[in-house]
């Protein structure tokens, strides 16, 4: 928490998803003396009644679990319908990105446009001071004194990557009570507090595709767009119903009609949505050491150009060098070592170079390449 957040009690909105993390986060906010109001976000226009184990979220079952948590904590509880914004800002963006041959991260988009934009904006308009969520992350200070995201204590649950897109103002109005805890500690605390969600499975996969069939979801919304799967020599080695069902680096589900001459597995190297063409080849052809960015920030004067970068939520942050335009904007990062499976549309998050704990910036990947040496 920031200095302000750790001082006098605040009026806060606690986002209650219906899961154990948000429940304990809200409980800790209450215990800290804040005036807490629980809010569940209705993001689906046709929410399912029940979850299927750990698949999906924002169901009617989740909203009921959130209400029970609020009752146990003795806090007011409301449901905010943001389904229209979620459809436009997250689901439509997801479809448009895949249709363009890119691989989006809907969790990043949701945090950017819904949870820490629409929700926080509404909360502030209603007179609240901050938003409490169950994310595993910590808040620290950048060298210029602004609030920024840092990694959680539990590396297995760290969510700094999906929060890296937040602005300093949004971070300053956020509270992440779980940043210093492990998942096992959170579940134990939930049980001790009498919260019935203590053993509830974590949700995973894309929340609006609860059955996990991303290709089927895309096909249902974008329609079949048959095309060819080519090898690096331009030979047809398979067919498909839509290039949108593939992502760079993919190995499984290619359904190739002709095996490689050397018998080795092949991976998706590139996707061309206009011609609906997918190119496959050996793993080594995925190797890149330069990542181009499409919306990089202006670099702070005096900031070290050495960083660690991460482009998957649970990937490893690797050493890199920032490349700036003449105007001082981040244009590209050069990796110290080669990487594989970097896809356009993914989010790249840069951390401070020495320890890789503090988020410096987040930008969308425009492409990647292999530098000539």
């Amino acid at each position: 928490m920031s200095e302000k957040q750790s001082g006098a009690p605040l009026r806060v909105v606690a986002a209650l998803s219906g899961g154990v993390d948000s429940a304990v986060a809200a409980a800790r906010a209450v215990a800290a003396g804040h005036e807490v109001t629980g809010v569940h976000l209705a993001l689906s226009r046709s929410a399912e009644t029940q979850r299927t184990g750990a698949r999906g979220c924002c169901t009617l079952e989740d909203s009921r679990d959130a209400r029970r948590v609020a009752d146990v904590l003795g806090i007011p509880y409301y449901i905010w319908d943001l389904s229209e914004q979620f459809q436009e800002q997250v689901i439509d963006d997801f479809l448009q990105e895949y249709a363009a041959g890119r691989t989006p991260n809907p969790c990043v988009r949701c945090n950017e446009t819904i949870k820490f934009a629409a929700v926080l904006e509404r909360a502030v308009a209603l007179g609240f001071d901050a938003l409490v969520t169950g994310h595993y992350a910590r808040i620290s200070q950048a060298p210029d004194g602004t609030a920024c995201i840092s990694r959680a204590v539990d590396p297995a649950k760290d969510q700094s990557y999906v929060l890296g897109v937040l602005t300093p103002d949004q971070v300053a109005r956020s509270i992440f009570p779980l940043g210093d805890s492990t998942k096992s500690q959170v579940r134990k605390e939930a049980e001790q507090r009498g919260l019935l969600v203590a053993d509830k499975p974590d949700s995973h996969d894309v929340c609006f595709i609860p059955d996990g069939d991303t290709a089927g979801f895309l096909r249902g919304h974008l329609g079949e767009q048959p095309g060819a799967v080519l090898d690096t020599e331009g030979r047809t080695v398979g067919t498909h119903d839509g290039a949108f069902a593939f992502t760079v680096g993919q190995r499984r589900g290619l359904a190739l009609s002709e095996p490689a001459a050397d018998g080795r597995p092949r991976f998706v190297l590139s996707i061309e949505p206009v011609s609906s063409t997918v190119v496959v080849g050996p793993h080594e052809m995925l190797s890149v050491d330069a990542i181009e960015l499409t919306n990089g920030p202006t670099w702070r004067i005096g900031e070290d150009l050495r960083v660690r970068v991460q482009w998957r939520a649970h990937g490893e942050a690797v050493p890199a060098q920032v490349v700036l335009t003449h105007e001082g904007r981040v244009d590209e990062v050069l990796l110290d070592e080669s990487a594989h499976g970097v896809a356009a549309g993914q989010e790249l998050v840069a951390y401070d170079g020495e320890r890789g704990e503090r988020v410096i910036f987040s930008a969308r990947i425009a492409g990647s390449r292999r530098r000539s040496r």
Side-chain angles (χ1 to χ4, degrees):
M1 298 184 188
S2 70
E3 182 178 348
K4 175 184 177 183
Q5 293 164 347
S6 60
L10 305 174
R11 292 189 67 227
V12 302
V13 164
L16 294 176
S17 68
V20 62
D21 293 331
S22 64
V24 172
R28 290 184 178 182
V30 172
H34 298 308
E35 182 184 338
V36 182
T37 296
V39 169
H40 179 77
L41 305 182
L43 302 179
S44 173
R45 292 177 174 176
S46 56
E48 298 292 336
T49 302
Q50 301 291 328
R51 287 161 52 106
T52 303
R55 290 192 179 276
C57 69
C58 311
T59 65
L60 295 180
E61 178 186 345
D62 290 321
S63 68
R64 291 165 185 160
D65 286 342
R67 180 179 291 279
R68 293 187 188 100
V69 167
D71 289 342
V72 171
L73 299 180
I75 61 175
Y77 173 78
Y78 299 93
I79 296 177
W80 287 0
D81 184 358
L82 296 176
S83 58
E84 183 175 347
Q85 294 98 313
F86 186 77
Q87 176 69 44
E88 295 174 354
Q89 300 293 331
V90 180
I91 299 179
D92 289 350
D93 175 81
F94 181 84
L95 294 169
Q96 291 163 8
E97 287 293 286
Y98 265 105
R102 296 186 288 266
T103 304
N105 187 311
C107 293
V108 172
R109 296 283 80 75
C110 183
N111 284 332
E112 179 181 26
T113 63
I114 303 298
K115 293 179 181 176
F116 294 90
V119 173
L120 188 53
E121 181 179 335
R122 181 183 293 190
V124 171
L126 291 172
F128 290 93
D129 299 305
L131 173 65
V132 176
T133 76
H135 287 97
Y136 286 81
R138 292 181 292 175
I139 295 176
S140 58
Q141 280 193 335
D144 63 0
T146 59
C148 62
I149 298 291
S150 287
R151 292 191 185 277
V153 166
D154 186 348
K157 297 300 296 181
D158 173 56
Q159 292 175 292
S160 61
Y161 172 85
V162 296
L163 296 174
V165 72
L166 302 188
T167 68
D169 287 343
Q170 290 171 332
V171 176
R173 287 188 175 273
S174 300
I175 302 176
F176 306 121
L178 308 188
D180 293 321
S181 301
T182 65
K183 185 71 180 196
S184 60
Q185 290 172 333
V186 168
R187 288 199 181 278
K188 182 177 180 180
E189 182 175 335
E191 182 178 4
Q192 292 172 338
R193 292 181 179 276
L195 301 173
L196 297 179
V197 293
D199 296 323
K200 186 174 181 178
D202 293 336
S203 61
H204 63 79
D205 294 327
V206 180
C207 68
F208 51 86
I209 311 177
D211 62 2
D213 183 9
T214 301
F217 177 85
L218 293 169
R219 191 178 302 110
H221 285 78
L222 300 177
E224 291 192 356
Q225 301 173 20
V229 179
L230 308 179
D231 65 13
T232 54
E233 301 298 323
R235 294 184 292 261
T236 299
V237 294
T239 59
H240 61 78
D241 294 328
F244 49 72
F246 299 88
T247 187
V248 170
Q250 180 178 335
R251 174 185 175 185
R252 300 184 183 279
L254 303 183
L256 304 180
S257 58
E258 295 185 22
D262 58 8
R264 296 166 62 195
R266 286 177 287 194
F267 300 76
V268 174
L269 302 180
S270 65
I271 302 164
E272 176 47 63
V274 176
S275 62
S276 198
T277 301
V278 177
V279 177
V280 298
H283 187 261
E284 58 265 25
M285 293 191 70
L286 287 169
S287 177
V288 299
D289 57 11
I291 301 177
E292 301 152 356
L293 305 174
T294 188
N295 60 338
T298 300
W299 202 245
R300 297 186 183 97
I301 296 176
E303 188 87 61
D304 189 357
L305 294 177
R306 295 291 302 172
V307 296
R308 302 184 75 87
V309 297
Q310 183 175 328
W311 54 90
R312 296 189 186 90
H314 301 291
E316 179 185 359
V318 299
Q321 175 91 6
V322 170
V323 177
L324 306 178
T325 65
H326 292 300
E327 296 76 25
R329 183 171 294 278
V330 177
D331 182 58
E332 187 177 43
V333 294
L334 306 180
L335 307 180
D336 286 8
E337 302 290 340
S338 298
H340 299 83
V342 180
Q346 292 174 315
E347 200 74 15
L348 179 139
V349 175
Y351 296 81
D352 61 272
E354 183 177 351
R355 298 181 57 191
E357 292 287 326
R358 176 176 60 87
V359 172
I360 300 176
F361 70 85
S362 178
R364 194 172 294 195
I365 296 175
S368 59
R369 63 185 176 87
R370 182 73 180 173
R371 285 178 282 164
S372 56
R373 303 199 177 194

